[in-house]
Amino acid sequence: MCSAAVNDIIGSHKPGAQRKKQKCRKDKPILKAKTHERTDVYQEAENKTQAGDNQRYPINFSHIYTEWNLLLCAIVPCQHSEEHITELLKNIASLFHATLTSALDYNGAFANDLHRTLPMLSIRPATVNDAALLAEMIREFAAFEHLEHEVGTTEEDLRRDGFGPRPKFRSVIAEWEGKAVGYAVFFEFYSSFQGRAGIFLDDLYVRPDSRKHGIGTALIKHVAGIAWREKYFCMRWEVLDWNKPAIDFYKNLGAVFLDEWKPAILIGDALEAASKGTA
C-alpha cells in the first residue's frame, strides 16, 4: 500500500511527530472486537471456500485477513482515542471490502471450468425447455459444415432422447450476457480394451457472431471437466478434414489424431441390408 493511501486511512497527524514504540494494550476491547469483525463479502467467500468451491475462490482469505490485522496494528498508535480508532476501523473495513471484492472478481475471471473465467459467459446444462433452441443451433451447425441436407432432427426427437426417462445424450448451453451463443452434445461409449467408458463429443458449436471470445475453448474444457470428474477414460470427437482452424485448435489442446484409423458407418439402406443379412 502506498504511503498516501495509508495517510488517507489514518487521517491527519502532526508533521514530524514522534510516535512511541509500544505494544497495543490488551485492555483495548474496542480494537480487538473491531479488527475481528468480518465483512459479508469475506464471510461469503470463506463459506464458499470451506464448501469446496476452491476453483471459484482459490485465494487464501484467512491469510488476507491476517495481513490486514497486522497492518492495522502497525499503523494504529495506541494513544489514539477510542472514537478515532472506531473511525479508523470503519475505513479499514471499507478498504478491505474493496480489496477483497477485487480479489474475488480477479479469481472469478481466471479460474477453472472455463465458464468461470469469462465474466460475461456462463455454461449450464440444457433442459427440456431448450429443445427448440438446440434444434435451431443444430441446424445452424449443419449449415456451417455444409451438411444441412443430412439434418432430420426435430424438437420432439431431442425431448424424447435427451430429456426422457433414459436419456441418450447430454447437452450444455453456452450463454454470453444471457444470450445463447453455443452448445455441446455428448454421450458415453464403452471401450473393451480400457474396461471403462469414454465420452464422445458429437457437437461443439459457437454462433459466428460470438466467436473470438474463447467460448469454444470454454465449452470443450467444460465437457472435459465432466469427463475427468466422472472418471471417463477419454473424450473423443471427429472433425472434418477441411476445417483447418478447428484442427489447429484441437492440436493446441493436446488432442491426438487417429490418422491410422478409418471411421466406418452403416446407415440407411446399407444398415437395413446388413440387419437382414442381404448385404
Side-chain angles (χ1 to χ4, degrees), residues 166-193:
R166 299 180 61 185
K168 293 179 172 60
F169 70 86
R170 296 157 70 177
S171 181
V172 293
I173 305 289
E175 295 180 337
W176 186 269
E177 295 183 330
K179 176 185 175 183
V181 294
Y183 77 100
V185 167
F186 52 98
F187 47 85
E188 72 174 34
F189 66 93
Y190 192 80
S191 169
S192 59
F193 283 17

Side-chain angles (χ1 to χ4, degrees), residues 41-272:
V41 171
Y42 174 85
Q43 192 61 53
E44 174 192 358
E46 185 179 50
N47 291 342
K48 289 180 179 293
T49 301
Q50 292 174 351
D53 196 5
N54 293 322
Q55 302 294 348
R56 178 67 175 86
Y57 300 100
I59 54 178
N60 187 330
F61 297 99
S62 297
H63 175 72
I64 290 177
Y65 192 75
T66 299
E67 290 298 322
W68 276 104
N69 278 341
L70 291 175
L71 173 64
L72 182 63
C73 288
I75 65 176
V76 179
C78 290
Q79 65 267 28
H80 277 305
S81 67
E82 290 190 354
E83 290 77 11
H84 185 87
I85 292 176
T86 299
E87 185 61 29
L88 170 62
L89 289 168
K90 288 180 180 178
N91 293 335
I92 287 285
S94 297
L95 185 57
F96 174 76
H97 182 283
T99 303
L100 187 54
T101 300
S102 299
L104 293 179
D105 289 343
Y106 177 85
N107 282 277
F110 295 96
N112 190 20
D113 229 305
L114 206 62
H115 68 285
R116 284 177 284 223
T117 70
L118 302 171
M120 294 177 283
L121 175 66
S122 64
I123 296 177
R124 60 172 178 82
T127 71
V128 67
N129 296 327
D130 294 310
L133 173 63
L134 278 173
E136 178 184 351
M137 288 197 288
I138 287 170
R139 288 190 290 269
E140 291 176 16
F141 186 26
F144 170 75
E145 295 201 323
H146 314 301
L147 297 172
E148 57 266 45
H149 59 282
E150 294 188 5
V151 177
T153 306
T154 66
E155 294 177 30
E156 182 55 37
D157 293 333
L158 297 173
R159 291 192 187 96
R160 178 192 65 238
D161 295 334
F163 310 100
R166 299 180 61 185
K168 293 179 172 60
F169 70 86
R170 296 157 70 177
S171 181
V172 293
I173 305 289
E175 295 180 337
W176 186 269
E177 295 183 330
K179 176 185 175 183
V181 294
Y183 77 100
V185 167
F186 52 98
F187 47 85
E188 72 174 34
F189 66 93
Y190 192 80
S191 169
S192 59
F193 283 17
Q194 294 291 329
R196 293 167 62 191
I199 278 184
F200 188 86
L201 179 62
D202 197 43
D203 287 359
L204 177 71
Y205 175 70
V206 178
R207 285 174 158 166
D209 59 354
S210 298
R211 292 171 189 169
K212 306 299 183 183
H213 293 298
I215 298 171
T217 302
L219 277 168
I220 199 166
K221 290 192 173 183
H222 184 89
V223 179
I226 292 172
W228 185 257
R229 289 191 300 273
E230 297 184 14
K231 310 298 183 185
Y232 290 101
F233 83 94
C234 79
M235 185 171 75
R236 185 170 180 167
W237 64 95
E238 297 173 350
V239 58
L240 291 169
D241 58 4
W242 57 261
N243 196 345
K244 189 176 185 303
I247 292 171
D248 292 341
F249 169 67
Y250 297 141
K251 283 181 178 178
N252 289 334
L253 283 177
V256 176
F257 286 83
L258 307 177
D259 295 329
E260 69 277 18
W261 292 82
K262 277 192 169 294
I265 186 172
L266 282 172
I267 189 171
D269 293 341
L271 177 61
E272 183 181 11

